[in-house]
Amino acid sequence: MIQAETLELLEWPRLCQHLATFAATKLGVAAALDLAIPATQAQTAELLAQTQEAYQLESRAGGALSFEGIQDIGTSLQRAELQGLLSGEELLAIATTLAGARQLRRIIDSQADVPTLKELAAQLRTYPELEQEIHRCIDDRAQVADRATPKLAGIRVQMRQLRDRIYQILQGILQRQSNAVQEQLITQRSGRFVIPVKAPQKDAIPGIVHDSSASGATLYVEPHNTVNLNNQMRQFLRQEQAEEEAVRRALTEQVAAVKPDLDRLVVVVTTLDLAVAKARYSFWLQANPPKFIELGEPELAPKNPEKEDEEKEDEEKEENSQLLIRNLRSQITLRQLRHPLLVWQQQHEQGFPVVPVDLAIGPHIRVVAITGPNTGGKTVTLKTLGLAALMAKAGMFVAAREPVELPWFDNILADIGDEQSLQQSLSTFSGHIRRISRILEVLQNKSQAEGAENSNLTITNSQQQDEEVIDTQNTVSALPILKPKLQIPQPQIPITNSQLPIPKSLVLLDEVGAGTDPSEGSALAIALLKYLAQHSLLTVATTHFGELKALKYQDSRFENASVEFDDNSMQPTYRLLWGIPGRSNALTIAKRLGLLASIVDEAQTYVGGASQDVNQVIAGLEAQRRKQETKAREATQLLHQTEKLHREVSQKAAALQERERELKIAQEVAVNEAIGSAKSEIAQIIRRLQSGNQTAQNAQQATETLNQISQKHLPSRQQPAKPKPSFMPKVGDRIRIPSLGQTAEVLSGPDANEELSVRFGIMKMTVKLGEIESLDGQKPETKAQLAKVAAQAQAVATAKAKQAAAEPAKPNPEIAIRTANNSIDLRGARVSDAEIEIDRALSKAVEYGVLWIIHGKGTGQLRRGVHEFLANHPQVSRFELASQKEGGAGVTVVYLK
């Protein structure tokens, strides 16, 4: 089949081998090596959803799927169904697979946004009771355990006792007949316990000889004393084997009873492993998920300019014969597309760097003709596109930059390489034609199958076709290319839009029409490509025929592309250029590959002038294309830099606004707290005045305390902030001239008239010092401003001096307001009790910074105890007796750290 040939030509099996290296189980490896291509787009969508969700899990911390313990149990399940007997290893493999599948389901169920994988995991039935029963009966060595049945446990107890008796007897013989034995060893032969005896002294130990060494010097003898015991041991062995088989038979029957569910479990686990392998391969390949482009509404096929005059003569006939086709809704976009096999070769086999290609094919384009030099990368481009389409169809990511947009092709068909064969008597040309015929046969069968599904066909000219017309039509349809100009009468059969045949095949042709006479080969290539333009969704062909380059200007469904050739290095760059036909550069490449220069020079003289002119025009177009691409690339980089700068500035501006808002809130909170604290302290002073004697001394003290509170909380009483340092421009500084809206460079500093020279652009000018500012908005201080500031400072200093001379000097006491919260009365307390109260009061008075301790005068014992305790307390900065108006020697004022 041509489909299988295409997979081989595109090296799909090799890509599957690379994919298999990312599988975690043998089941996944086998599935990856035999990766099937889905037949419907719905199947592809499901596979792609699995890959995308597995990719998400692999990208999450702790979300990767683990396939530990899962083994290939398919063969064991089949033998269990056929009533075979499973071994301990097979049963243990089934148990570990059930446990591994349960762990898989647990991981998937704990993740979010993976509906497709959850739907798969929901189909897993892991039978924990079967797993537990297998582990109960089979130990870690895959042997039937003693706990499997009581009967088996009893048999093995008797066997151990009998073995001990045999060992005891044989050990006694070894000790008594040490000269006759070869070595102090007890071994087995044919399931019976024997001892090695020297051949010349075999009569010293009577018994049955079961074996001898290779040299014949040692005989393995079973003494007569242990014959009956060995016979009993053999009987116990047979009983043990029968019981073990019974246990394994019971477990095998349990496995066979749930075989359909276990088969489904194997399929689901394999599907999950394959999805994870695709995700890991995509991550390694730095690939992106594809998006499939749907077909649009049917449109009339474009007219052929050569037949435009004939069509105008009979417009009605043209309308009836014009075919309806459906174009794509958007263009095919594959940017920075890389060949996955070349990427693997570069990473693992020290290959050359991979040059990506850009594919942007318009929705109305049906045929792309790629031209250019040999060894320029045309064939690699075909294979890269073919593999990309196959990978997308198989639910894999494509090694291209986002967005990855391409159609879902129902068939991917290729004619790449040389099918020349001596055994099959095939030349290069005949090999290509054979393969192309198989491609056309697939397209025709597809079209006929789709046409057979249309049930609303109506024949307008007649109800029956002439048999001769039908035969002629069938004959030509078998050779649609070789007779392109033969006109066959066609019945007028209108088809409804919903029933139109939809060409959705991708055809890849390498060197189309090559291997024969150039004129006939180019004619055949033109006819073939025009046929494929109508019967396939997309055809990409490489060629050296100049006639194919002109099809773009005759039919809008055709497009040109070429592989770039560097005239300076005389090397291909492997880049794909769109819209420009390429030059073959055969002579240049032949010279580079080592052909004699004289031959190449002589061949150059045979090349026609018209061909040279065309090559020069193409070379000019390529150079202009490179310049435009360079400018576009630079503009894109500049745009990215501008966008990055804009984002950074926006982020900084937002951060500054947020910081300003936070500062305002903090200031409001601080002001409110200060106001509340001041009100509370003022209220306490008022209450104290109201509760005590209203003497002048108390009023004076309250007034001083209120002044201290205002000094502490009122912003107007606080020291003004220091002014910013003044700005003075120097030579070489960058300054701003607000009146002109220009940024300039200082050429000379300010002179005696406060003028300086600046330059912006090509202009030089002299400006006043007061007309400029720094780049951050600072204004320079002129002489007039300095004099004004000095006069103001002098006036303030004089006013302060007069006020200081008029008022008596007052001490500047610390702000210490005595309240009920920072006072403690210890009068009448013991020293030990007082220390506890003081420690508690110090902890509460931290926010006030000061504590008044009322201990009274008395004998002074309590005061001394208090002072000794304060002297060693870590929170105390210093302490002193209060003033006479606050209690004198009966009160101690403590200042906290």
Side-chain angles (χ1 to χ4, degrees):
M1 294 177 63
I2 187 61
Q3 290 89 341
E5 290 184 52
T6 298
L7 296 181
E8 292 292 336
L9 293 174
L10 297 178
E11 300 181 88
W12 176 254
R14 186 179 166 198
L15 185 140
C16 293
Q17 293 176 1
H18 296 169
L19 174 63
T21 61
F22 292 88
T25 66
K26 292 183 178 179
L27 295 169
V29 171
L33 291 176
D34 193 23
L35 186 61
I37 306 298
T40 64
Q41 188 171 350
Q43 295 175 349
T44 297
E46 183 178 0
L47 294 177
L48 192 57
Q50 295 173 5
T51 305
Q52 289 176 314
E53 293 179 6
Y55 191 93
Q56 294 176 11
L57 294 183
E58 290 293 316
S59 304
R60 297 175 184 173
L65 298 182
S66 172
F67 295 86
E68 183 178 0
I70 295 177
Q71 303 182 40
D72 186 2
I73 60 174
T75 305
S76 302
L77 296 179
Q78 291 179 0
R79 191 159 68 256
E81 186 182 27
L82 297 175
Q83 298 182 353
L85 183 62
L86 300 182
S87 64
E89 290 84 357
E90 291 174 317
L91 291 170
L92 201 60
I94 292 175
T96 58
T97 300
L98 292 174
R102 189 179 306 108
Q103 178 66 17
L104 269 177
R105 186 176 61 191
R106 187 178 298 113
I107 295 175
I108 294 174
D109 290 341
S110 64
Q111 300 295 324
D113 303 328
V114 286
T116 304
L117 296 186
K118 284 186 177 181
E119 184 179 354
L120 275 175
Q123 304 176 24
L124 292 174
R125 297 194 60 186
T126 56
Y127 292 98
E129 65 281 358
L130 176 59
E131 175 195 348
Q132 294 175 3
E133 182 65 14
I134 292 176
H135 282 302
R136 187 186 71 83
C137 298
I138 309 296
D139 58 20
D140 295 336
R141 300 172 300 166
Q143 301 295 326
V144 180
D146 293 351
R147 58 181 177 271
T149 62
K151 182 178 180 181
L152 179 61
I155 293 173
R156 288 181 175 176
V157 169
Q158 294 178 353
M159 290 177 64
R160 284 191 290 270
Q161 295 174 352
L162 186 59
R163 187 181 296 108
D164 292 341
R165 289 179 57 191
I166 295 174
Y167 264 74
Q168 186 178 3
I169 295 173
L170 293 179
Q171 286 289 351
I173 295 175
L174 289 175
Q175 293 176 1
R176 291 192 304 268
Q177 302 292 339
S178 59
N179 295 330
V181 297
Q182 193 73 25
E183 56 181 327
Q184 297 289 325
L185 175 67
I186 298 176
T187 184
Q188 283 186 322
R189 288 294 185 273
S190 301
R192 306 179 73 87
F193 291 98
V194 296
I195 56 177
V197 180
K198 298 177 181 178
Q201 300 184 21
K202 64 179 181 178
D203 295 334
I205 303 177
I208 302 173
V209 178
H210 288 279
D211 197 4
S212 63
S213 63
S215 62
T218 303
L219 302 178
Y220 295 94
V221 178
E222 178 187 6
H224 290 305
N225 297 341
T226 61
V227 172
N228 291 331
L229 297 178
N230 274 323
N231 291 338
Q232 296 179 22
M233 180 63 70
R234 294 295 296 271
Q235 293 177 0
F236 284 134
L237 283 174
R238 284 193 292 271
Q239 294 177 10
E240 179 190 32
Q241 292 174 357
E243 191 63 22
E244 288 179 350
E245 289 182 1
V247 171
R248 290 190 284 116
R249 175 70 63 185
L251 294 176
T252 302
E253 291 176 354
Q254 295 183 38
V255 171
V258 295
K259 178 183 179 294
D261 292 334
L262 297 185
D263 285 336
R264 183 58 188 168
L265 181 143
V266 171
V267 172
V268 171
V269 169
T270 304
T271 303
L272 291 173
D273 189 16
L274 188 58
V276 172
K278 292 177 182 177
R280 292 172 179 172
Y281 182 52
S282 301
F283 185 81
W284 173 84
L285 201 57
Q286 297 181 357
N288 289 293
K291 177 183 177 183
F292 293 112
I293 308 171
E294 300 297 333
L295 293 173
E297 294 300 323
E299 299 177 2
L300 285 175
K303 301 176 182 180
N304 189 341
E306 295 179 355
K307 299 182 180 181
E308 188 173 353
D309 295 336
E310 299 178 3
E311 293 174 350
K312 288 181 179 179
E313 295 176 358
D314 191 0
E315 294 181 358
E316 182 178 357
K317 179 179 179 181
E318 185 271 333
E319 291 178 358
N320 291 333
S321 62
Q322 193 71 29
L323 291 177
L324 289 172
I325 62 174
R326 297 177 68 181
N327 293 327
L328 297 174
R329 294 186 183 274
S330 60
Q331 72 171 8
I332 299 174
T333 303
L334 295 170
R335 303 199 180 277
Q336 300 295 304
L337 179 63
R338 292 165 292 135
H339 196 297
L341 302 184
L342 294 182
V343 175
W344 181 279
Q345 184 176 347
Q346 176 189 358
Q347 297 290 336
H348 295 278
E349 302 173 9
Q350 288 76 43
F352 295 101
V354 180
V355 179
V357 296
D358 292 334
L359 297 178
I361 305 174
H364 64 284
I365 299 299
R366 291 302 181 91
V367 178
V368 176
I370 302 178
T371 54
N374 294 304
T375 70
K378 299 189 300 296
T379 304
V380 174
T381 301
L382 290 183
K383 291 187 175 182
T384 305
L385 175 58
L387 278 180
L390 286 174
M391 293 173 68
K393 194 174 179 180
M396 301 170 66
F397 288 8
V398 178
R401 191 182 67 189
E402 287 188 309
V404 178
E405 299 177 341
L406 72 165
W408 188 89
F409 297 105
D410 54 4
N411 282 304
I412 301 171
L413 310 170
D415 173 33
I416 300 175
D418 192 352
E419 203 182 6
Q420 181 177 0
S421 173
L422 295 178
Q423 290 85 356
Q424 301 179 13
S425 301
L426 291 177
S427 65
T428 299
F429 177 74
S430 58
H432 280 294
I433 294 301
R434 288 279 186 89
R435 190 177 289 158
I436 291 174
S437 298
R438 291 193 291 271
I439 292 175
L440 298 180
E441 182 179 355
V442 171
L443 296 179
Q444 286 180 340
N445 293 338
K446 182 69 176 178
S447 178
Q448 292 174 3
E450 291 174 347
E453 297 177 357
N454 300 325
S455 59
N456 295 331
L457 301 181
T458 58
I459 303 177
T460 58
N461 288 345
S462 61
Q463 297 296 323
Q464 295 181 349
Q465 298 185 40
D466 185 79
E467 294 183 359
E468 183 178 356
V469 173
I470 296 176
D471 294 338
T472 306
Q473 181 179 357
N474 292 337
T475 303
V476 177
S477 64
L479 300 172
I481 305 305
L482 300 182
K483 303 290 185 179
K485 295 185 179 181
L486 182 59
Q487 302 294 328
I488 302 298
Q490 296 289 341
Q492 299 176 4
I493 306 178
I495 303 176
T496 60
N497 292 345
S498 61
Q499 298 164 341
L500 284 172
I502 303 174
K504 296 186 65 175
S505 298
L506 171 65
V507 180
L508 305 173
L509 302 177
D510 188 24
E511 301 294 347
V512 57
T516 186
D517 179 76
S519 59
E520 294 184 359
S522 62
L524 182 61
I526 292 173
L528 174 62
L529 294 183
K530 287 187 175 182
Y531 178 86
L532 292 175
Q534 192 63 48
H535 292 81
S536 67
L537 182 58
L538 179 64
T539 300
V540 182
T542 65
T543 182
H544 288 285
F545 293 135
E547 292 82 356
L548 270 64
K549 304 174 185 179
L551 289 176
K552 171 185 176 179
Y553 309 103
Q554 302 174 5
D555 194 330
S556 60
R557 297 173 298 175
F558 285 74
E559 179 60 279
N560 285 332
S562 61
V563 287
E564 188 181 36
F565 188 82
D566 190 351
D567 293 328
N568 296 326
S569 63
M570 294 300 175
Q571 297 277 351
T573 64
Y574 306 106
R575 294 178 62 245
L576 195 63
L577 303 178
W578 288 89
I580 301 177
R583 298 169 289 159
S584 295
N585 295 100
L587 301 182
T588 302
I589 293 176
K591 187 175 183 179
R592 181 172 62 86
L593 295 177
L595 190 64
L596 291 177
S598 58
I599 298 177
V600 176
D601 294 339
E602 183 176 356
Q604 190 69 43
T605 61
Y606 299 141
V607 177
S611 176
Q612 292 181 353
D613 294 340
V614 170
N615 286 337
Q616 290 178 359
V617 171
I618 294 176
L621 291 175
E622 292 176 353
Q624 185 178 3
R625 177 71 170 267
R626 283 193 294 268
K627 290 180 181 178
Q628 295 297 332
E629 289 179 350
T630 302
K631 292 181 179 179
R633 189 162 50 249
E634 293 174 351
T636 302
Q637 293 177 355
L638 182 59
L639 179 61
H640 290 167
Q641 293 175 358
T642 305
E643 292 176 348
K644 181 180 178 182
L645 181 61
H646 180 267
R647 286 194 300 268
E648 293 176 354
V649 172
S650 300
Q651 292 173 357
K652 290 182 179 179
L656 288 175
Q657 292 177 356
E658 181 66 19
R659 177 61 177 165
E660 183 180 0
R661 188 182 65 85
E662 293 176 355
L663 289 176
K664 286 182 179 180
I665 295 175
Q667 289 175 356
E668 292 177 0
V669 172
V671 169
N672 291 332
E673 291 179 352
I675 293 174
S677 177
K679 288 181 178 180
S680 176
E681 293 174 357
I682 293 172
Q684 291 179 4
I685 294 173
I686 294 173
R687 285 195 299 270
R688 189 168 60 192
L689 288 173
Q690 292 174 349
S691 62
N693 297 326
Q694 287 82 6
T695 62
Q697 182 180 0
N698 291 339
Q700 178 65 27
Q701 182 181 357
T703 302
E704 292 178 357
T705 304
L706 289 175
N707 290 334
Q708 292 174 359
I709 292 172
S710 64
Q711 188 74 22
K712 176 180 179 181
H713 296 290
L714 292 178
S716 61
R717 302 292 184 89
Q718 297 178 1
Q719 294 294 330
K722 295 182 179 180
K724 294 183 179 180
S726 61
F727 163 69
M728 185 57 64
K730 300 185 296 296
V731 176
D733 288 351
R734 302 286 297 178
I735 54 93
R736 184 183 291 110
I737 307 175
S739 60
L740 301 178
Q742 295 288 339
T743 301
E745 179 184 359
V746 178
L747 300 179
S748 63
D751 54 13
N753 297 326
E754 294 186 342
E755 294 182 345
L756 64 158
S757 299
V758 298
R759 175 177 62 193
F760 54 90
I762 61 174
M763 296 182 60
K764 294 181 181 180
M765 65 181 301
T766 302
V767 296
K768 289 288 187 180
L769 188 61
E771 297 177 354
I772 67 170
E773 64 181 16
S774 65
L775 295 181
D776 57 359
Q778 296 183 24
K779 292 286 187 179
E781 291 186 351
T782 61
K783 293 180 179 180
Q785 292 174 341
L786 291 175
K788 183 177 180 181
V789 172
Q792 292 175 351
Q794 183 64 28
V796 172
T798 302
K800 287 185 177 181
K802 291 180 179 180
Q803 183 180 1
E807 296 180 358
K810 294 182 180 180
N812 186 21
E814 294 187 43
I815 300 175
I817 302 173
R818 181 176 174 180
T819 66
N821 293 330
N822 58 356
S823 300
I824 180 174
D825 191 351
L826 301 177
R827 287 177 293 187
R830 297 175 181 271
V831 174
S832 58
D833 297 334
E835 290 177 353
I836 297 174
E837 295 296 331
I838 293 172
D839 189 64
R840 187 180 297 114
L842 287 173
S843 300
K844 295 181 180 179
V846 171
E847 57 180 326
Y848 299 97
V850 64
L851 176 67
W852 278 266
I853 302 176
I854 305 173
H855 44 69
K857 297 179 181 179
T859 61
Q861 185 69 26
L862 181 58
R863 182 181 68 248
R864 285 191 296 273
V866 170
H867 287 186
E868 290 176 359
F869 178 77
L870 293 175
N872 298 319
H873 200 284
Q875 288 183 264
V876 177
S877 175
R878 62 185 176 87
F879 59 91
E880 61 186 12
L881 293 176
S883 61
Q884 289 298 327
K885 62 183 179 181
E886 291 183 343
V891 178
T892 298
V893 183
V894 184
Y895 297 93
L896 305 182
K897 293 182 179 178

